[in-house]
Amino acid sequence: MPTYNTLQNAIADMRARGFVNTFTIQHQQIYCSELSTTIGPEQLTLLEQHHVKAPTTIAGEREVYGFRTNDNQLGIMTDAYADIAPEEFDTILGRCRQQQARRA
């Protein structure tokens, strides 16, 4: 699994490898703007997880997650929502299926 030094590097490489959709948390569901749809967390499988530097954030770091939907769409989500509602973020992430989730 690749190791990344920055959030920008992680996202650029993951996009190049097919993680072209962006997932965000809205109303206790996951929303994908590219697909214009809401996805239940149980419909996502976590494939990758990377811990990277993000100097523009308060903590100076971010987690980047790579997911696959039930219909094989690949997408990225960061832990930015965890800054706003950490417990809700952890609950939603915990509802996602996990496969090969590794920290880089």
Side-chain angles (χ1 to χ4, degrees):
M1 180 150 322
T3 300
Y4 304 106
N5 293 322
T6 67
L7 179 64
Q8 293 80 10
N9 288 346
I11 291 173
D13 182 68
M14 290 175 76
R15 295 250 189 251
R17 292 187 294 114
F19 291 87
V20 296
N21 298 299
T22 304
F23 299 139
T24 59
I25 297 175
Q26 296 181 3
H27 308 292
Q28 299 182 352
Q29 295 288 318
I30 296 173
Y31 180 73
C32 178
S33 58
E34 291 87 357
L35 300 173
S36 298
T37 192
T38 301
I39 304 165
E42 295 81 8
Q43 297 173 330
L44 294 178
T45 300
L46 178 61
L47 301 176
E48 298 184 17
Q49 179 179 357
H50 304 282
H51 186 81
V52 296
K53 294 177 185 173
T56 59
T57 65
I58 293 171
E61 54 193 22
R62 275 276 172 248
E63 293 283 337
V64 182
Y65 304 92
F67 290 100
R68 181 181 62 232
T69 65
N70 285 347
D71 61 351
N72 292 316
Q73 298 288 325
L74 297 176
I76 294 172
M77 182 169 67
T78 69
D79 66 346
Y81 191 81
D83 293 344
I84 300 165
E87 290 179 15
E88 183 178 353
F89 179 81
D90 289 343
T91 298
I92 290 172
L93 189 63
R95 289 171 50 199
C96 298
R97 293 187 311 264
Q98 305 216 0
Q99 170 192 318
Q100 296 181 322
R102 297 181 198 158
R103 265 190 126 129

